[in-house]
Amino acid sequence: MGVSTTMTIRVTPDLKEKLGRLAQGTRRTKSFLAAEALDAYVNRELEIIEGIQRGLADMAAGRVIPHDEVMAQADKIIADARQKRAARQ
């Protein structure tokens, strides 16, 4: 295991009890499970924020497709899918 540091957080008694049950059932420590969960949450949230930032940068740079064009493409995809489904029936 790599270098780690200590952090204190407050959780509800219910969450603490559930974490204890999960730790017992998985033979992992509560600390390990909490760190894994926090890591997954932080990574997911950072991906979202970074995606929004990339989108805003694209918008500022003019790398966008007009709404009407996107909707026309989506409508065509839906119509084509309906035709294919109707042809199979």
Side-chain angles (χ1 to χ4, degrees):
M1 182 169 147
V3 177
S4 65
T5 187
T6 300
M7 183 174 145
T8 302
I9 63 168
R10 293 189 182 279
V11 297
T12 64
D14 184 53
L15 179 56
K16 184 177 179 182
E17 185 271 329
K18 287 177 183 177
L19 184 59
R21 286 188 358 236
L22 182 60
Q24 187 175 25
T26 59
R27 294 181 166 177
R28 298 285 188 172
T29 65
K30 290 185 284 189
S31 179
F32 174 85
L33 294 173
E36 288 287 305
L38 187 57
D39 184 59
Y41 173 79
V42 167
N43 287 332
R44 185 187 73 229
E45 293 298 309
L46 281 175
E47 282 184 30
I48 292 168
I49 290 169
E50 290 165 356
I52 291 168
Q53 290 170 339
R54 284 190 307 274
L56 291 172
D58 284 343
M59 190 173 72
R63 295 184 298 261
V64 295
I65 299 173
H67 177 75
D68 293 342
E69 253 183 72
V70 172
M71 292 308 297
Q73 290 175 8
D75 289 343
K76 182 175 180 345
I77 290 168
I78 292 168
D80 290 349
R82 284 183 179 151
Q83 281 182 336
K84 286 179 184 177
R85 185 175 63 178
R88 287 190 300 239
Q89 293 177 353

